[in-house]
Amino acid sequence: MRLLILSLSIIFFFTTVASAQNAPDCRTAIPVCADAPIVGIADGGGDIDDFDPDVIRQSGCLEKGSVSSANIENNTSWFVFRAGTDGQIGFDIEALPSTGMTITAEWDFALYGPDSDCAGISNGTAQPIRCNYEVNTTRFTGIGVNPENGQAGAPPLVGSQNTYDEWLDVQAGEIYYLLINNFNTNFDGDPESYILTFTGTSVDADQDTALDCTLRDEFLGLDIIACEGDPDIVLSALNSPAGPDIANVTWSVDYEDDGVVDQILASGAAETTYTVTSPNSGRYFVSIETTLATVITDDILITFYGIPVLDRIDVLEDLSDRNIIEVFVQGTGSYEYSINNGPFQDSPIFVDVPPGENTLVINDKNGCGTTEPIPFLVVGYPKFFTPNGDGIHDDWNVLGIETLTNPVVFIFDRYGKLLKQLDEVTLGWDGTFNGRPMPSSDYWFRLEYSRDEEGVVVANTIRSHFSLKR
């Protein structure tokens, strides 16, 4: 995930007394609900940062139809909302006049959910379910019905000129992220204004319950997963219900998220924001004292992940018909694993691992990086060999024998006659005895070696068999 903090100056005003701070980043999206329209004023220019541009183009959504070269994130806002009831939800985004009473902005949007996260939005695993990035000849865009011309929304098809998308059917508890973006190339610093109003049958039935307004109590936003090296994360007390009535703000942190506050970070009436830098993971707390003698609190867990670091590979079972390994990674990220260029799997346990040298790749599922191939060795033996001189399986040996202590391999025919003795420096058995090729058959071996198990050298003996094929 590579989510950049933009150089934007955005102030949001609710039709109630509450106001909200700059939220140009999905990770610090402002929680909202449907009980009142939201009036937004955006100022400044943005960069293509929250998205992989190739993913956006492939989605046929944010850059589609007649606007194939549109600029993502110019005068941008992020909101998050949670469905309070089952039903139908939409919204209108209405452009308002800027300075000079002229509408110069053209607002577009992308809606993600249900229950997408910012990491998935960034790396492209979460695709928009509703969006519009088309040239707009009205003041409105959104989901549902355009109130200016009565045009009903339609699915977002490539080449479509419809600036409204179809209604959204939601279930209670689902969480959605909304990006509002100004397509117009306004880089002159003049503020751009809009009104966000939620609509739909759920809102018509009860606008106080259509969206879960308790989400606004989590004014620091939902828990954040970020990558080491990502830009700073700015937490804001200005998004709280305290609004302008802030008397004092105290920030603190529990780095281990173990219920013990480790440090008071800042305190004072002017400390309305706090900046979290990589890689300082932890649960961050804010306590806001208001001029009305009330206290408002919130907390947020921020976790930074880096490129996975291998701790160890345990061989649970080797020198058997089912070589089994388990992979251990430093840290507590969300990882997936692949060996020998095979498909990734969530389980760190691999069964039937080929004997000899293998390669392991670990991928962080949050998009924070993938390891280079890591070689590892599993002691084992091939079940057959074909000493026919074609350069493939011409010799037989215990693979990984060089990792064992004082190894000796004895090879016998079916009658118990000793045919060959091998050690860690012997290249292997070529299928001959006294210079004569041995016939196709099963042959037996005994491996004797020592192995350091938890600091104690233990003598081991393995007996098994393999096939010679001609």
Side-chain angles (χ1 to χ4, degrees):
M1 179 176 69
R2 292 294 179 266
L3 304 179
L4 309 183
I5 299 296
L6 311 183
S7 298
L8 299 181
S9 174
I10 302 175
I11 302 176
F12 295 94
F13 299 97
F14 295 88
T15 54
T16 62
V17 181
S19 63
Q21 170 79 353
N22 182 0
D25 193 317
C26 174
R27 298 175 302 179
T28 51
I30 298 174
V32 293
C33 65
D35 59 349
I38 300 161
V39 180
I41 301 176
D43 184 10
D47 299 314
I48 301 175
D49 67 277
D50 269 341
F51 308 98
D52 179 338
D54 291 332
V55 171
I56 294 302
R57 292 185 177 93
Q58 291 168 8
S59 74
C61 189
L62 288 184
E63 294 188 346
K64 67 175 184 177
S66 60
V67 210
S68 61
S69 61
N71 294 315
I72 302 296
E73 291 205 305
N74 176 36
N75 300 339
T76 293
S77 312
W78 281 94
F79 295 100
V80 59
F81 61 87
R82 182 163 55 206
T85 60
D86 296 350
Q88 182 190 78
I89 291 291
F91 53 79
D92 300 322
I93 303 169
E94 178 184 2
L96 297 178
S98 59
T99 56
M101 299 306 293
T102 301
I103 295 177
T104 58
E106 183 184 312
W107 298 107
D108 304 286
F109 69 90
L111 182 70
Y112 296 83
D115 304 329
S116 299
D117 57 32
C118 291
I121 292 171
S122 172
N123 63 33
T125 57
Q127 292 289 302
I129 59 172
R130 299 287 190 278
C131 62
N132 191 275
Y133 223 80
E134 292 297 345
V135 175
N136 197 349
T137 58
T138 75
R139 291 178 299 122
F140 291 87
T141 187
I143 291 176
V145 177
N146 188 328
E148 184 170 304
N149 59 14
Q151 183 182 49
L157 302 176
V158 174
S160 168
Q161 297 296 308
N162 191 2
T163 57
Y164 262 72
D165 284 353
E166 60 188 338
W167 293 105
L168 181 69
D169 292 323
V170 301
Q171 295 183 358
E174 293 178 339
I175 292 177
Y176 296 85
Y177 283 90
L178 172 62
L179 162 69
I180 299 178
N181 181 70
N182 176 22
F183 165 67
N184 199 10
T185 55
N186 171 37
F187 296 101
D188 57 10
D190 291 337
E192 300 287 359
S193 305
Y194 63 87
I195 296 178
L196 171 64
T197 305
F198 286 94
T199 60
T201 56
S202 292
V203 178
D204 294 339
D206 190 340
Q207 68 174 14
D208 293 330
T209 61
L211 299 183
D212 184 358
C213 292
T214 63
L215 188 65
R216 286 194 306 211
D217 295 334
E218 302 177 54
F219 54 87
L220 292 183
L222 304 181
D223 291 346
I224 294 174
I225 292 177
C227 298
E228 292 180 3
D230 272 359
D232 298 343
I233 298 172
V234 180
L235 304 178
S236 175
L238 298 177
N239 295 331
S240 75
D245 300 320
I246 294 177
N248 189 73
V249 182
T250 300
W251 298 92
S252 57
V253 63
D254 173 2
Y255 288 115
E256 302 299 326
D257 193 25
D258 58 4
V260 179
V261 173
D262 297 303
Q263 184 179 0
I264 302 297
L265 301 169
S267 184
E271 303 293 341
T272 54
T273 64
Y274 184 80
T275 300
V276 179
T277 59
S278 167
N280 296 307
S281 298
R283 185 171 293 279
Y284 289 81
F285 300 86
V286 63
S287 177
I288 304 170
E289 301 173 35
T290 74
T291 57
L292 305 176
T294 59
V295 177
I296 300 172
T297 63
D298 193 20
D299 63 89
I300 183 173
L301 179 63
I302 301 177
T303 308
F304 289 94
Y305 293 110
I307 295 175
V309 177
L310 176 68
D311 181 19
R312 68 186 190 279
I313 298 175
D314 283 357
V315 180
L316 305 182
E317 187 175 335
D318 63 0
L319 286 168
S320 72
D321 290 335
R322 301 179 74 231
N323 299 317
I324 303 173
I325 66 164
E326 183 171 6
V327 180
F328 292 87
V329 183
Q330 296 180 15
T332 58
S334 179
Y335 306 112
E336 58 184 4
Y337 313 85
S338 167
I339 65 170
N340 302 327
N341 297 315
F344 280 96
Q345 65 179 48
D346 291 337
S347 172
I349 297 177
F350 289 86
V351 180
D352 296 328
V353 180
E357 185 170 293
N358 300 268
T359 58
L360 166 72
V361 173
I362 309 170
N363 178 56
D364 178 73
K365 295 171 69 175
N366 297 303
C368 293
T370 304
T371 64
E372 294 294 327
I374 303 168
F376 69 93
L377 195 67
V378 171
V379 179
Y381 62 93
K383 303 302 187 292
F384 70 92
F385 76 121
T386 56
N388 54 15
D390 64 356
I392 303 174
H393 305 308
D394 281 339
D395 297 295
W396 184 94
N397 203 348
V398 173
L399 303 176
I401 190 173
E402 67 275 10
T403 67
L404 304 178
T405 303
N406 302 322
V408 181
V409 180
F410 304 94
I411 299 175
F412 307 91
D413 65 12
R414 60 189 300 181
Y415 303 108
K417 181 178 181 179
L418 179 63
L419 303 177
K420 185 70 174 180
Q421 182 174 322
L422 309 173
D423 58 26
E424 68 269 28
V425 299
T426 308
L427 295 178
W429 183 43
D430 61 3
T432 65
F433 179 67
N434 290 335
R436 292 183 294 107
M438 299 301 292
S440 297
S441 183
D442 283 348
Y443 291 84
W444 295 85
F445 74 92
R446 182 176 78 246
L447 168 64
E448 298 177 356
Y449 68 101
S450 298
R451 196 170 194 171
D452 190 340
E453 298 181 2
E454 297 182 359
V456 178
V457 177
V458 179
N460 290 271
T461 299
I462 300 293
R463 292 181 174 86
S464 192
H465 62 91
F466 59 93
S467 298
L468 186 158
K469 299 180 180 180
R470 294 192 181 277

